[in-house]
Amino acid sequence: MSARQEREREARESFDTYYAASATRLISAVFAVTGNLADAEDAVQEAYARAWLRWDRLCAEGDPAPWIRTVALRLAVSTWRKARNRLRAQFRHGPPPDVPALAPDRVALIEAVRALPADQRRAIVLHHLLDLPVAQVARELGATETAIRTRLSRARKALAVRLDGPAPDPAAPAGPRRRTPAHRNRKGLPSA
């Protein structure tokens, strides 16, 4: 194991140990400020995520607790302010207008897209909903253009099956062939 890998392992262990020992207490403190457990948990989680990005520097400066606590409280207060401002706006302007229900075909499309495998779903959304060219979709997803075209093709086929049923096979005859029973002639009369 290289020296860099050893430092990374030690940093992970140090962070994990610190998180396990301090997260619950910090959530309690932020909950006391906000009065909302979900907001407190979200703020603390985000604060620790930000702390991990600069963990070496925070540890070098001493105890990381003040920094993490400050970030968590600021995030919680920011969330609280946003919620308060939304409520004020609602009281000032009234409730938002009723959102019309989604059309059944739109609901079916959303459900069909959600049922796709994640790689196909991302390709379809980026290419068809955001109108990105295949080359850009490939760059964003870290895949080749050929792979993206394959994903798009498979996704379109899967969507067609889910939304319309299986597509007809162009090589198959248009409809069932009618056979004249052996005991009948072409006019449908019994043969003599």
Side-chain angles (χ1 to χ4, degrees):
M1 185 178 289
S2 70
R4 180 178 175 216
Q5 290 172 328
E6 182 63 27
R7 282 193 309 272
E8 288 176 1
R9 186 187 62 74
E10 288 174 1
R12 266 194 315 273
E13 288 177 0
S14 167
F15 181 82
D16 290 346
T17 302
Y18 185 83
Y19 178 83
S22 62
T24 304
R25 185 171 179 205
L26 184 55
I27 289 170
S28 298
V30 175
F31 173 62
V33 171
T34 64
N36 183 314
L37 182 59
D39 287 345
E41 290 172 337
D42 289 345
V44 170
Q45 190 69 29
E46 178 64 22
Y48 277 103
R50 292 181 184 186
W52 170 247
L53 296 175
R54 52 184 64 77
W55 188 246
D56 291 336
R57 189 174 26 165
L58 289 174
C59 290
E61 293 171 359
D63 184 16
W67 187 93
I68 296 171
R69 185 174 45 254
T70 300
V71 170
L73 288 169
R74 285 181 181 169
L75 288 167
V77 168
S78 175
T79 302
W80 178 76
R81 282 185 185 145
K82 287 178 188 174
R84 184 186 66 186
N85 290 340
R86 277 193 302 273
L87 286 173
R88 281 185 179 170
Q90 184 172 349
F91 286 130
R92 193 175 309 131
H93 302 292
D98 288 337
V99 178
L102 292 177
D105 59 339
R106 190 158 191 96
V107 172
L109 176 63
I110 291 168
E111 288 176 2
V113 169
R114 284 183 179 165
L116 292 172
D119 59 341
Q120 291 177 15
R121 185 173 54 242
R122 284 190 292 268
I124 282 286
V125 168
L126 291 174
H127 184 65
H128 289 290
L129 297 181
L130 297 179
D131 294 325
L132 298 180
V134 171
Q136 188 171 352
V137 173
R139 279 192 304 274
E140 288 194 21
L141 297 180
T144 64
E145 289 184 38
T146 304
I148 296 302
R149 284 189 188 94
T150 301
R151 291 175 192 176
L152 289 169
S153 174
R154 289 178 180 165
R156 286 185 205 112
K157 287 178 184 173
L159 289 173
V161 168
R162 285 188 65 86
L163 297 173
D164 297 330
D169 182 7
R177 288 185 60 162
R178 298 180 80 191
R179 293 193 167 205
T180 306
H183 65 280
R184 298 195 177 261
N185 62 21
R186 290 185 183 253
K187 294 182 181 176
L189 301 173
S191 47

Short mmCIF file of all heavy atoms in Angstrom, two decimals, residues 47-82:
data_model
loop_
_atom_site.label_atom_id
_atom_site.label_comp_id
_atom_site.label_asym_id
_atom_site.label_seq_id
_atom_site.Cartn_x
_atom_site.Cartn_y
_atom_site.Cartn_z
N ALA A 47 -23.56 19.07 6.25
CA ALA A 47 -22.38 19.63 6.91
C ALA A 47 -21.24 18.62 6.97
O ALA A 47 -20.08 18.95 6.70
CB ALA A 47 -22.74 20.11 8.33
N TYR A 48 -21.55 17.38 7.29
CA TYR A 48 -20.51 16.34 7.31
C TYR A 48 -19.99 16.04 5.90
O TYR A 48 -18.81 15.78 5.72
CB TYR A 48 -21.02 15.06 7.97
CG TYR A 48 -20.92 15.11 9.48
CD1 TYR A 48 -22.04 15.34 10.25
CD2 TYR A 48 -19.69 14.94 10.11
CE1 TYR A 48 -21.94 15.39 11.64
CE2 TYR A 48 -19.59 14.98 11.49
CZ TYR A 48 -20.72 15.22 12.24
OH TYR A 48 -20.61 15.28 13.61
N ALA A 49 -20.87 16.08 4.92
CA ALA A 49 -20.41 15.88 3.53
C ALA A 49 -19.43 16.97 3.13
O ALA A 49 -18.41 16.70 2.49
CB ALA A 49 -21.60 15.85 2.58
N ARG A 50 -19.72 18.19 3.51
CA ARG A 50 -18.81 19.30 3.20
C ARG A 50 -17.52 19.18 4.01
O ARG A 50 -16.44 19.53 3.52
CB ARG A 50 -19.49 20.63 3.48
CG ARG A 50 -20.62 20.92 2.52
CD ARG A 50 -21.26 22.25 2.81
NE ARG A 50 -22.41 22.48 1.94
CZ ARG A 50 -23.09 23.61 1.89
NH1 ARG A 50 -22.75 24.63 2.67
NH2 ARG A 50 -24.12 23.73 1.09
N ALA A 51 -17.63 18.70 5.24
CA ALA A 51 -16.43 18.53 6.07
C ALA A 51 -15.51 17.48 5.48
O ALA A 51 -14.29 17.63 5.52
CB ALA A 51 -16.84 18.16 7.50
N TRP A 52 -16.08 16.41 4.94
CA TRP A 52 -15.25 15.35 4.36
C TRP A 52 -14.37 15.89 3.24
O TRP A 52 -13.22 15.49 3.09
CB TRP A 52 -16.11 14.20 3.87
CG TRP A 52 -15.33 13.22 3.06
CD1 TRP A 52 -15.46 12.96 1.74
CD2 TRP A 52 -14.25 12.39 3.51
NE1 TRP A 52 -14.55 12.02 1.33
CE2 TRP A 52 -13.79 11.66 2.41
CE3 TRP A 52 -13.63 12.21 4.74
CZ2 TRP A 52 -12.75 10.75 2.50
CZ3 TRP A 52 -12.59 11.30 4.83
CH2 TRP A 52 -12.15 10.59 3.72
N LEU A 53 -14.91 16.84 2.48
CA LEU A 53 -14.14 17.40 1.35
C LEU A 53 -12.90 18.16 1.81
O LEU A 53 -11.96 18.32 1.04
CB LEU A 53 -15.04 18.33 0.52
CG LEU A 53 -16.23 17.66 -0.16
CD1 LEU A 53 -17.11 18.70 -0.84
CD2 LEU A 53 -15.76 16.60 -1.14
N ARG A 54 -12.89 18.62 3.05
CA ARG A 54 -11.74 19.37 3.57
C ARG A 54 -11.27 18.78 4.91
O ARG A 54 -10.81 19.48 5.79
CB ARG A 54 -12.09 20.85 3.70
CG ARG A 54 -13.35 21.14 4.45
CD ARG A 54 -13.76 22.60 4.50
NE ARG A 54 -14.09 23.26 3.28
CZ ARG A 54 -15.22 23.15 2.59
NH1 ARG A 54 -16.16 22.36 3.03
NH2 ARG A 54 -15.44 23.82 1.49
N TRP A 55 -11.43 17.48 5.05
CA TRP A 55 -11.17 16.82 6.32
C TRP A 55 -9.73 17.00 6.79
O TRP A 55 -9.49 17.29 7.97
CB TRP A 55 -11.53 15.33 6.23
CG TRP A 55 -11.47 14.64 7.55
CD1 TRP A 55 -10.60 13.67 7.94
CD2 TRP A 55 -12.30 14.90 8.68
NE1 TRP A 55 -10.85 13.29 9.22
CE2 TRP A 55 -11.89 14.04 9.71
CE3 TRP A 55 -13.35 15.77 8.93
CZ2 TRP A 55 -12.50 14.02 10.96
CZ3 TRP A 55 -13.96 15.76 10.17
CH2 TRP A 55 -13.53 14.90 11.17
N ASP A 56 -8.76 16.84 5.90
CA ASP A 56 -7.36 16.98 6.30
C ASP A 56 -7.09 18.38 6.86
O ASP A 56 -6.43 18.53 7.89
CB ASP A 56 -6.43 16.71 5.12
CG ASP A 56 -6.45 15.25 4.70
OD1 ASP A 56 -6.78 14.40 5.55
OD2 ASP A 56 -6.13 14.98 3.53
N ARG A 57 -7.61 19.39 6.21
CA ARG A 57 -7.38 20.77 6.66
C ARG A 57 -8.07 21.03 7.99
O ARG A 57 -7.52 21.67 8.88
CB ARG A 57 -7.89 21.73 5.59
CG ARG A 57 -7.51 23.17 5.84
CD ARG A 57 -7.90 24.05 4.71
NE ARG A 57 -9.03 23.46 4.00
CZ ARG A 57 -9.80 24.10 3.14
NH1 ARG A 57 -9.54 25.35 2.85
NH2 ARG A 57 -10.80 23.52 2.56
N LEU A 58 -9.31 20.52 8.15
CA LEU A 58 -10.03 20.73 9.42
C LEU A 58 -9.30 20.07 10.58
O LEU A 58 -9.22 20.64 11.67
CB LEU A 58 -11.46 20.19 9.31
CG LEU A 58 -12.43 20.97 8.44
CD1 LEU A 58 -13.75 20.23 8.31
CD2 LEU A 58 -12.65 22.37 8.99
N CYS A 59 -8.79 18.87 10.34
CA CYS A 59 -8.06 18.17 11.40
C CYS A 59 -6.74 18.88 11.70
O CYS A 59 -6.31 18.93 12.86
CB CYS A 59 -7.81 16.72 11.01
SG CYS A 59 -9.33 15.74 11.02
N ALA A 60 -6.10 19.42 10.67
CA ALA A 60 -4.83 20.11 10.88
C ALA A 60 -5.03 21.38 11.70
O ALA A 60 -4.15 21.79 12.47
CB ALA A 60 -4.19 20.45 9.53
N GLU A 61 -6.21 22.00 11.57
CA GLU A 61 -6.49 23.23 12.32
C GLU A 61 -6.93 22.95 13.75
O GLU A 61 -7.11 23.87 14.53
CB GLU A 61 -7.58 24.03 11.60
CG GLU A 61 -7.13 24.58 10.26
CD GLU A 61 -8.28 25.19 9.47
OE1 GLU A 61 -9.44 25.17 9.95
OE2 GLU A 61 -8.00 25.69 8.37
N GLY A 62 -7.16 21.70 14.08
CA GLY A 62 -7.59 21.34 15.43
C GLY A 62 -8.90 20.59 15.37
O GLY A 62 -9.11 19.75 14.51
N ASP A 63 -9.78 20.92 16.28
CA ASP A 63 -11.07 20.25 16.39
C ASP A 63 -12.00 20.70 15.27
O ASP A 63 -12.28 21.90 15.14
CB ASP A 63 -11.69 20.57 17.76
CG ASP A 63 -12.99 19.82 18.00
OD1 ASP A 63 -13.25 18.84 17.28
OD2 ASP A 63 -13.72 20.23 18.92
N PRO A 64 -12.52 19.77 14.45
CA PRO A 64 -13.42 20.16 13.36
C PRO A 64 -14.85 20.47 13.83
O PRO A 64 -15.65 20.96 13.05
CB PRO A 64 -13.40 18.95 12.43
CG PRO A 64 -13.00 17.81 13.28
CD PRO A 64 -12.16 18.36 14.38
N ALA A 65 -15.16 20.20 15.09
CA ALA A 65 -16.53 20.36 15.59
C ALA A 65 -17.09 21.76 15.39
O ALA A 65 -18.23 21.90 14.93
CB ALA A 65 -16.61 19.96 17.06
N PRO A 66 -16.36 22.83 15.71
CA PRO A 66 -16.95 24.17 15.52
C PRO A 66 -17.32 24.45 14.07
O PRO A 66 -18.37 25.02 13.80
CB PRO A 66 -15.86 25.12 16.02
CG PRO A 66 -15.01 24.30 16.91
CD PRO A 66 -15.07 22.91 16.38
N TRP A 67 -16.46 24.04 13.16
CA TRP A 67 -16.72 24.29 11.75
C TRP A 67 -17.97 23.53 11.30
O TRP A 67 -18.86 24.08 10.67
CB TRP A 67 -15.51 23.88 10.91
CG TRP A 67 -15.63 24.26 9.47
CD1 TRP A 67 -15.17 25.41 8.90
CD2 TRP A 67 -16.25 23.51 8.42
NE1 TRP A 67 -15.47 25.41 7.56
CE2 TRP A 67 -16.14 24.25 7.24
CE3 TRP A 67 -16.89 22.28 8.38
CZ2 TRP A 67 -16.64 23.82 6.02
CZ3 TRP A 67 -17.41 21.83 7.17
CH2 TRP A 67 -17.28 22.60 6.01
N ILE A 68 -18.04 22.24 11.65
CA ILE A 68 -19.18 21.41 11.24
C ILE A 68 -20.47 21.94 11.87
O ILE A 68 -21.51 22.03 11.22
CB ILE A 68 -18.94 19.93 11.61
CG1 ILE A 68 -17.74 19.39 10.83
CG2 ILE A 68 -20.18 19.10 11.34
CD1 ILE A 68 -17.28 18.01 11.27
N ARG A 69 -20.40 22.29 13.13
CA ARG A 69 -21.58 22.81 13.83
C ARG A 69 -22.06 24.11 13.19
O ARG A 69 -23.26 24.30 12.94
CB ARG A 69 -21.25 23.03 15.31
CG ARG A 69 -22.42 23.45 16.15
CD ARG A 69 -22.10 23.52 17.63
NE ARG A 69 -20.82 24.18 17.92
CZ ARG A 69 -19.71 23.53 18.30
NH1 ARG A 69 -19.72 22.22 18.44
NH2 ARG A 69 -18.60 24.20 18.55
N THR A 70 -21.14 25.01 12.87
CA THR A 70 -21.50 26.28 12.23
C THR A 70 -22.17 26.05 10.89
O THR A 70 -23.20 26.64 10.57
CB THR A 70 -20.24 27.17 12.06
OG1 THR A 70 -19.69 27.41 13.35
CG2 THR A 70 -20.59 28.48 11.40
N VAL A 71 -21.58 25.17 10.08
CA VAL A 71 -22.15 24.88 8.76
C VAL A 71 -23.53 24.26 8.91
O VAL A 71 -24.49 24.65 8.22
CB VAL A 71 -21.21 23.96 7.95
CG1 VAL A 71 -21.89 23.45 6.69
CG2 VAL A 71 -19.93 24.69 7.60
N ALA A 72 -23.69 23.30 9.82
CA ALA A 72 -24.99 22.65 10.01
C ALA A 72 -26.05 23.65 10.46
O ALA A 72 -27.18 23.64 9.94
CB ALA A 72 -24.86 21.51 11.03
N LEU A 73 -25.71 24.51 11.39
CA LEU A 73 -26.67 25.50 11.86
C LEU A 73 -27.02 26.51 10.78
O LEU A 73 -28.19 26.89 10.62
CB LEU A 73 -26.15 26.20 13.11
CG LEU A 73 -26.13 25.33 14.36
CD1 LEU A 73 -25.36 26.01 15.49
CD2 LEU A 73 -27.55 25.00 14.80
N ARG A 74 -26.04 26.94 10.00
CA ARG A 74 -26.33 27.87 8.90
C ARG A 74 -27.23 27.22 7.85
O ARG A 74 -28.14 27.87 7.33
CB ARG A 74 -25.03 28.35 8.26
CG ARG A 74 -24.31 29.36 9.11
CD ARG A 74 -23.04 29.83 8.45
NE ARG A 74 -22.35 30.79 9.31
CZ ARG A 74 -21.12 31.21 9.09
NH1 ARG A 74 -20.44 30.77 8.05
NH2 ARG A 74 -20.57 32.07 9.91
N LEU A 75 -26.95 25.96 7.54
CA LEU A 75 -27.80 25.26 6.58
C LEU A 75 -29.22 25.12 7.11
O LEU A 75 -30.19 25.32 6.36
CB LEU A 75 -27.22 23.88 6.26
CG LEU A 75 -25.96 23.87 5.40
CD1 LEU A 75 -25.32 22.48 5.43
CD2 LEU A 75 -26.28 24.28 3.98
N ALA A 76 -29.35 24.78 8.37
CA ALA A 76 -30.68 24.62 8.96
C ALA A 76 -31.44 25.94 8.98
O ALA A 76 -32.63 25.99 8.65
CB ALA A 76 -30.56 24.05 10.37
N VAL A 77 -30.75 27.01 9.37
CA VAL A 77 -31.40 28.32 9.41
C VAL A 77 -31.78 28.76 8.00
O VAL A 77 -32.86 29.32 7.78
CB VAL A 77 -30.48 29.35 10.11
CG1 VAL A 77 -31.00 30.76 9.92
CG2 VAL A 77 -30.38 29.02 11.60
N SER A 78 -30.92 28.47 7.04
CA SER A 78 -31.22 28.81 5.66
C SER A 78 -32.47 28.08 5.20
O SER A 78 -33.36 28.67 4.55
CB SER A 78 -30.03 28.46 4.77
OG SER A 78 -30.34 28.67 3.42
N THR A 79 -32.58 26.81 5.52
CA THR A 79 -33.77 26.03 5.17
C THR A 79 -34.99 26.60 5.86
O THR A 79 -36.05 26.74 5.26
CB THR A 79 -33.58 24.55 5.57
OG1 THR A 79 -32.42 24.04 4.92
CG2 THR A 79 -34.78 23.71 5.22
N TRP A 80 -34.83 26.97 7.11
CA TRP A 80 -35.94 27.54 7.87
C TRP A 80 -36.38 28.87 7.26
O TRP A 80 -37.57 29.13 7.11
CB TRP A 80 -35.50 27.71 9.32
CG TRP A 80 -36.53 28.34 10.19
CD1 TRP A 80 -37.65 27.74 10.70
CD2 TRP A 80 -36.56 29.68 10.64
NE1 TRP A 80 -38.36 28.65 11.46
CE2 TRP A 80 -37.70 29.85 11.43
CE3 TRP A 80 -35.71 30.77 10.46
CZ2 TRP A 80 -38.04 31.06 12.02
CZ3 TRP A 80 -36.03 31.97 11.06
CH2 TRP A 80 -37.19 32.10 11.83
N ARG A 81 -35.41 29.70 6.88
CA ARG A 81 -35.74 31.00 6.26
C ARG A 81 -36.47 30.81 4.94
O ARG A 81 -37.42 31.53 4.64
CB ARG A 81 -34.47 31.81 6.03
CG ARG A 81 -33.94 32.46 7.27
CD ARG A 81 -32.76 33.33 6.94
NE ARG A 81 -32.18 33.86 8.15
CZ ARG A 81 -30.89 34.07 8.35
NH1 ARG A 81 -30.03 33.81 7.39
NH2 ARG A 81 -30.46 34.55 9.48
N LYS A 82 -36.01 29.86 4.15
CA LYS A 82 -36.68 29.61 2.87
C LYS A 82 -38.12 29.18 3.10
O LYS A 82 -39.03 29.63 2.41
CB LYS A 82 -35.92 28.54 2.08
CG LYS A 82 -34.63 29.03 1.49
CD LYS A 82 -33.90 27.91 0.77
CE LYS A 82 -32.52 28.34 0.37
NZ LYS A 82 -31.75 27.22 -0.21
#
